[in-house]
Amino acid sequence: QVQLVESGGGLVQAGGSLRLSCAASGRTSSNYPMAWFRQAPGKERTFVAAVYWSGGITDYADSVKGRFTISRDNAKNTVYLQMNSLKPEDTAVYYCATGRVTVVRAIYGYTDWGQGTQVTVSS
């Protein structure tokens, strides 16, 4: 089992930036992607970005492409989400996740989740 702990959320004005971190421990696998999802109040949890430990291949939701950057530090077993040009619609609880997925943007297949960190963007 993998333990994931997110941090870095907070309140920021529109146009501002935040960097989220996700520290992984336990039985992590370099073959599995690490992903960020988010869930706004009353809405479904949706894919934000993903990165593979090996090779650094990344994928982004269209809504964040060009504004968010996902990266990983293999030595620290930590994944980051740099969020720039934040918008009020980015307000959500952000979760990191990993698992033996076949479709990186699909929520099914992700078996290990963090507790989430709140991001609030004021207008």
Side-chain angles (χ1 to χ4, degrees):
Q1 191 170 357
V2 178
Q3 292 77 44
L4 302 173
V5 179
E6 303 99 333
S7 60
L11 173 64
V12 65
Q13 287 187 333
S17 299
L18 282 174
R19 189 178 81 155
L20 306 183
S21 300
C22 174
S25 60
R27 301 185 66 178
T28 58
S29 171
S30 61
N31 294 322
Y32 299 168
M34 292 291 295
W36 287 96
F37 285 78
R38 66 186 180 185
Q39 188 167 19
K43 296 189 176 180
E44 294 183 348
R45 195 172 297 188
T46 58
F47 172 79
V48 175
V51 64
Y52 281 85
W53 288 114
S54 57
I57 297 171
T58 59
D59 191 21
Y60 296 92
D62 290 345
S63 60
V64 307
K65 201 171 292 183
R67 300 188 298 123
F68 291 9
T69 302
I70 190 169
S71 61
R72 84 268 188 255
D73 184 330
N74 291 1
K76 295 183 178 180
N77 260 7
T78 299
V79 175
Y80 304 98
L81 186 68
Q82 178 66 43
M83 306 186 294
N84 298 329
S85 302
L86 282 161
K87 304 175 182 180
E89 52 263 44
D90 294 318
T91 295
V93 177
Y94 283 70
Y95 299 89
C96 68
T98 191
R100 189 176 182 180
V101 302
T102 54
V103 179
V104 93
R105 296 189 178 197
I107 197 168
Y108 60 84
Y110 286 94
T111 53
D112 299 290
W113 293 84
Q115 82 287 354
T117 185
Q118 175 71 45
V119 171
T120 303
V121 184
S122 63
S123 58

